[in-house]
Amino acid sequence: MSSLWLIFIGIIVFLVAYVSYGAYLAKQWGIDPKRPTPSHTNFDNVDYVPTNSKVLLGHHFASIAGAGPIAGPIQASIFGWLPVFLWIVIGSIFFGAVHDFGSLLASIRHGGKSIGEIIEVNVGKKGKKLFNTFAWLTLILVVAAFTDIVASAFAYNPEVKGFQAGPAAGTASVLFIFLAVLFGFMVYRKGYNLAVSTVVGVILIFLAIYIGYKFPFIALSKKAWYVILLIYIFLASTLPVWLLLQPRDYLNSFLLYAMLIGGFLGILVMRPTLQLAAFKGFTVTTKAGAQYLFPILFVTVACGAISGFHSLVSSGTSAKQIDKESDAQLVGYGAMLIEGFLAIIALISVAYVAKAEGAPAAVFASGVATFMSKIGIPFEVGKVFITLAFTAFALTSLDTATRLGRYIFQEYVETVWGKESKLNNMYVSTLITVVISALLLMYGYQKIWPIFGTANQLLSALALLAVTAWLARNNKKNIMTIVPMVFMFAVTLTALVILSLNFLKAKNYVLLVIAILLFIFAIELIVETYKVLSSSKASKGTDVKA
Amino acid sequence: MNKNEYIKMLAQKFEKYFDIEFDKNILNLKLDLFAKHYSLNGRTFLTKKDVIDEFENYEYVFLKHYNYIDVHAINEFIDFLKKVSEEVVNPTKNHMSTYINGVVLFDSIDEGVKDVIKRFKNSKTFLFGLRGWFDTRLLAVDLNGQDIICNREGKRVKKVYQITP
């Protein structure tokens, strides 16, 4: 079957969903284009600035899209391409986009406050402490999973003769890091024009790819890359953001768009046939044991269907810059559908390659580079480019996760041992978070990914719970958040039980302990949140008055 | 344009971003306008109090009018800017940048002053950039014409201080 069917069905269904279901949600939630948003009521021309919805869509999408919608579908393809495709499409429309749209609207109606503040106001201190502990466990899993994925992507294999994309991409990636620092220096410190610097920066990215391709001089083993990456994330997490993170994230967005456009055009021209079986069964045997479609599919495709973390880490920008409420549909609902589209491209790449052997980056890069070769981009160059793009997103998630982990750890230390404790130090906390994540590396991303996905999806379920409560208090229909919320709770709790049993059988005791702890914390959080949210507070709405 | 009209024009441009004071005495120098801008950017987790990273940017404007400005007066003003930079620049771990804008308005000028202004430089980077930097911009605005003389850093903000009808 031609993969064009997946692309066109995906595009058509997403468009129809946007226009119909997205509009339905907007109507049910009382979106009023005339109602002033925080960008007008709090206008200060600094943070609160009405912004063109297309520009905001671009920023918002770049901030939520990452390695998740690529790695997840590739790993979930063990069940066949059809169930993954269905979950991407249905999940994006009825779960992910609803979650993002709801969170953004709740934030707009609360004067730009984050969904977290809405949770804290409603859940209380105990709930917040539980939540932090839960989040920290999730974060060390994120760091371990993504470090392993990136190291696998860059590793040099001495037994393979000829060109290897890994070392080429690793070389390009190191050059890209230096380029990002230089870019930041020229724009921030020297005041060079941003538009001109951007053009030069993008040209230099492609030069870095070319250099990596021609002279892959950084050819290291996977273990060596572990060390380099752990040092890198320690530094990236402790250095000032303007030095590396901000310029790197800015340049990353160009990689993202180039990858999306290149992949899409390549698929259009090549029309690759799906080689993978459509459906392999509800139970599939793998090296990690028996995998059940329910619930594992729904936690493996953790992003590109629904994802918890990105509604909780807030730069505070989107809600503060929405010009009118009706733009929230495009920014909140629309951006998540585009992420679903990225996940479909990832699925097509693995379905064409027909097996997910090797790291997700390698599988994705092989597939998309093949497609792009039909539009004139040499296969090996394309592979380097796609690997660089993928790993660039993974590195962004890595250092954000490490910063967050450090922050939560420091907060905990301060609560238990006081501000003066030696552990309440940025570098010590970061080191502890990185070291503990490093210990999990021995398990490899295949074992860690499902439990990370489970924890991530649980966060989204909790955010949906908060949105549900907010809708209820404002006398708005909330069946459209209750259904995905209940489903996600059922999926994630079942997944934790099954994963725990698998870990016990395989004697992976550290992961077993983490899974059990996550289960306990999740139940406590659900009970705590439900108790508080269902207690009668004012039945009047909690919206900020315009 | 006279001094009061210019100051009013500038104050209107700055009022959204800056805290403004008029006729302020700082380090024994009477200024016609003093303005301060402070911005804090960052990312939070869950609530605004849970800051995972943040950085600060500062900008100050010290503006003084001279009927006639000579080399002695400009050197005095420059000394003032150097002293004030030691007072206001605070390179903490969240500090990214501080910009000090020294602006002199004049009705007439000694030609020698122009070279002094153009050559003036007062910048510093802290801890190899990890604690940010500060730059001093020096501009002289001719109230009778469109001319603005500035140092190299001042060129970046020349448009802001141009006389607009």
Side-chain angles (χ1 to χ4, degrees):
Chain A
M1 175 175 146
S2 169
S3 56
L4 277 187
W5 284 106
L6 298 189
I7 286 277
F8 287 128
I9 291 171
I11 290 175
I12 291 166
V13 172
F14 283 153
L15 276 172
V16 168
Y18 177 80
V19 166
S20 58
Y21 193 58
Y24 167 76
L25 292 174
K27 190 175 173 198
Q28 291 302 316
W29 292 346
I31 288 216
D32 179 1
K34 294 200 184 82
R35 183 183 177 135
T37 56
S39 71
H40 292 281
T41 57
N42 298 351
F43 174 74
D44 64 2
N45 218 3
V46 179
D47 290 323
Y48 292 87
V49 182
T51 302
N52 178 281
S53 58
K54 310 324 175 271
V55 171
L56 207 48
L57 171 66
H59 290 165
H60 189 73
F61 171 62
S63 72
I64 65 172
I70 298 168
I74 287 172
Q75 291 175 88
S77 64
I78 53 170
F79 297 109
W81 61 261
L82 182 61
V84 181
F85 179 72
L86 289 173
W87 172 229
I88 289 170
V89 172
I90 295 169
S92 298
I93 292 169
F94 295 106
F95 292 68
V98 172
H99 162 272
D100 285 18
F101 188 13
S103 301
L104 181 59
L105 186 61
S107 188
I108 292 168
R109 293 284 178 84
H110 279 73
K113 284 197 180 118
S114 71
I115 190 72
E117 259 147 338
I118 300 164
I119 291 175
E120 192 196 29
V121 161
N122 290 299
V123 172
K125 279 193 176 148
K126 182 180 173 191
K128 192 164 171 233
K129 272 195 192 135
L130 273 171
F131 194 92
N132 277 355
T133 315
F134 181 90
W136 190 80
L137 285 173
T138 308
L139 290 163
I140 57 170
L141 291 168
V142 170
V143 174
F146 280 70
T147 303
D148 188 51
I149 285 176
V150 174
S152 305
F154 290 161
Y156 169 69
N157 186 345
E159 288 165 24
V160 171
K161 301 289 171 223
F163 174 76
Q164 290 185 45
T171 304
S173 187
V174 170
L175 292 172
F176 177 60
I177 298 298
F178 285 108
L179 168 63
V181 172
L182 178 67
F183 180 87
F185 177 76
M186 300 310 275
V187 170
Y188 291 135
R189 186 71 184 90
K190 292 297 176 189
Y192 279 43
N193 178 273
L194 180 62
V196 171
S197 304
T198 301
V199 171
V200 172
V202 169
I203 292 170
L204 289 177
I205 290 174
F206 289 105
L207 181 63
I209 291 169
Y210 179 75
I211 293 173
Y213 164 65
K214 278 288 192 194
F215 312 105
F217 54 89
I218 304 179
L220 299 168
S221 67
K222 188 169 164 178
K223 287 216 164 79
W225 272 111
Y226 278 164
V227 174
I228 291 175
L229 288 169
L230 291 171
I231 293 172
Y232 166 78
I233 58 176
F234 179 86
L235 289 173
S237 310
T238 49
L239 289 173
V241 289
W242 71 83
L243 226 70
L244 170 60
L245 258 60
Q246 276 198 334
R248 191 200 58 201
D249 288 355
Y250 177 74
L251 292 174
N252 269 1
S253 56
F254 296 99
L255 282 175
L256 171 66
Y257 290 120
M259 183 184 77
L260 259 179
I261 293 167
F264 176 60
L265 290 176
I267 291 171
L268 275 187
V269 170
M270 182 175 168
R271 299 172 213 185
T273 305
L274 302 173
Q275 314 281 1
L276 191 68
F279 181 58
K280 288 190 179 174
F282 289 99
T283 308
V284 172
T285 307
T286 68
K287 286 182 210 166
Q291 303 294 320
Y292 305 102
L293 191 144
F294 181 93
I296 297 300
L297 168 68
F298 305 99
V299 298
T300 304
V301 183
C303 318
I306 182 170
S307 174
F309 257 111
H310 63 238
S311 70
L312 299 173
V313 174
S314 169
S315 64
T317 41
S318 297
K320 289 176 183 167
Q321 293 180 338
I322 290 270
D323 184 17
K324 43 190 189 303
E325 285 193 357
S326 45
D327 291 348
Q329 184 182 343
L330 179 67
V331 177
Y333 198 78
M336 186 58 218
L337 295 184
I338 301 174
E339 191 174 356
F341 181 69
L342 173 58
I344 292 175
I345 292 182
L347 176 62
I348 292 173
S349 69
V350 69
Y352 172 72
V353 171
K355 50 190 185 301
E357 279 172 21
V363 173
F364 182 63
S366 287
V368 179
T370 305
F371 309 151
M372 283 167 52
S373 67
K374 303 301 173 193
I375 56 170
I377 294 164
F379 173 74
E380 288 169 350
V381 174
K383 230 178 148 185
V384 176
F385 163 62
I386 298 295
T387 307
L388 172 67
F390 176 88
T391 52
F393 308 143
L395 288 173
T396 304
S397 301
L398 265 175
D399 52 57
T400 301
T402 310
R403 277 176 186 261
L404 211 36
R406 168 197 80 212
Y407 174 79
I408 293 172
F409 187 84
Q410 271 186 276
E411 250 211 346
Y412 176 77
V413 162
E414 202 174 302
T415 315
V416 174
W417 288 297
K419 240 182 177 162
E420 305 306 320
S421 165
K422 286 198 173 67
L423 293 176
N424 187 15
N425 169 283
M426 178 172 78
Y427 302 103
V428 172
S429 303
T430 305
L431 187 64
I432 289 172
T433 304
V434 170
V435 165
I436 292 177
S437 302
L439 294 174
L440 293 176
L441 279 172
M442 60 178 162
Y443 289 107
Y445 70 86
Q446 289 110 322
K447 294 205 183 81
I448 300 170
W449 190 271
I451 184 172
F452 144 69
T454 306
N456 195 40
Q457 307 298 58
L458 255 170
L459 288 176
S460 65
L462 289 165
L464 277 168
L465 182 55
V467 175
T468 301
W470 170 73
L471 287 168
R473 288 190 182 192
N474 286 278
N475 300 314
K476 307 242 183 282
K477 253 191 181 170
N478 56 11
I479 187 71
M480 57 289 266
T481 55
I482 288 178
V483 169
M485 176 192 76
V486 168
F487 182 79
M488 292 318 299
F489 276 134
V491 156
T492 49
L493 293 174
T494 313
L496 279 174
V497 170
I498 291 174
L499 288 169
S500 299
L501 292 170
N502 282 348
F503 293 146
L504 182 63
K505 261 190 234 162
K507 297 183 187 176
N508 292 328
Y509 296 121
V510 175
L511 289 181
L512 171 64
V513 167
I514 292 176
I516 293 171
L517 284 173
L518 284 172
F519 187 88
I520 295 169
F521 288 136
I523 297 288
E524 280 201 62
L525 259 173
I526 293 165
V527 167
E528 187 70 25
T529 311
Y530 182 76
K531 260 196 298 195
V532 177
L533 290 177
S534 63
S535 68
S536 58
K537 269 215 155 180
S539 57
K540 287 180 189 165
T542 56
D543 283 1
V544 172
K545 289 203 181 352
Chain B
M1 186 178 267
N2 68 36
K3 158 193 139 182
N4 292 329
E5 285 167 345
Y6 182 86
I7 289 172
K8 188 179 170 189
M9 175 201 80
L10 209 62
Q12 272 175 345
K13 278 188 192 176
F14 284 171
E15 64 184 355
K16 283 215 164 60
Y17 310 87
F18 289 77
D19 298 321
I20 299 171
E21 290 178 72
F22 302 99
D23 301 321
K24 189 168 172 80
N25 199 310
I26 296 177
L27 297 179
N28 294 322
L29 186 72
K30 186 163 175 290
L31 298 163
D32 293 285
L33 180 144
F34 166 68
K36 178 182 172 182
H37 165 79
Y38 167 69
S39 71
L40 175 67
N41 291 288
R43 290 184 299 178
T44 58
F45 176 64
L46 290 187
T47 73
K48 278 190 189 130
K49 291 176 277 178
D50 300 295
V51 179
I52 49 174
D53 46 52
E54 59 183 350
F55 57 94
E56 299 171 319
N57 298 94
Y58 298 86
E59 187 160 346
Y60 298 90
V61 180
F62 304 93
L63 183 146
K64 185 169 174 60
H65 173 255
Y66 295 84
N67 289 321
Y68 171 73
I69 186 156
D70 59 15
V71 174
H72 173 74
I74 195 69
N75 281 328
E76 240 185 20
F77 190 71
I78 283 173
D79 285 340
F80 161 77
L81 289 178
K82 286 180 181 171
K83 282 194 192 115
V84 93
S85 69
E86 287 164 18
E87 296 286 325
V88 305
V89 179
N90 186 14
T92 58
K93 76 173 171 58
N94 291 335
H95 175 257
M96 178 179 171
S97 68
T98 300
Y99 291 105
I100 291 170
N101 300 286
V103 185
V104 295
L105 307 182
F106 64 88
D107 297 302
S108 56
I109 188 169
D110 179 326
E111 284 301 308
V113 167
K114 293 182 183 178
D115 277 339
V116 173
I117 290 173
K118 286 176 186 171
R119 279 197 316 260
F120 173 67
K121 183 176 160 63
N122 185 33
S123 302
K124 195 171 177 186
T125 303
F126 302 101
L127 201 61
F128 307 104
L130 296 178
R131 294 284 185 262
W133 64 88
F134 89 86
D135 284 323
T136 309
R137 301 151 171 170
L138 179 58
L139 300 102
V141 181
D142 180 358
L143 289 172
N144 297 315
Q146 300 291 325
D147 200 20
I148 297 183
I149 306 123
C150 55
N151 70 347
R152 193 175 160 168
E153 291 300 327
K155 282 185 192 159
R156 284 200 226 168
V157 293
K158 206 171 162 178
K159 271 191 190 162
V160 176
Y161 296 96
Q162 266 167 358
I163 293 174
T164 44

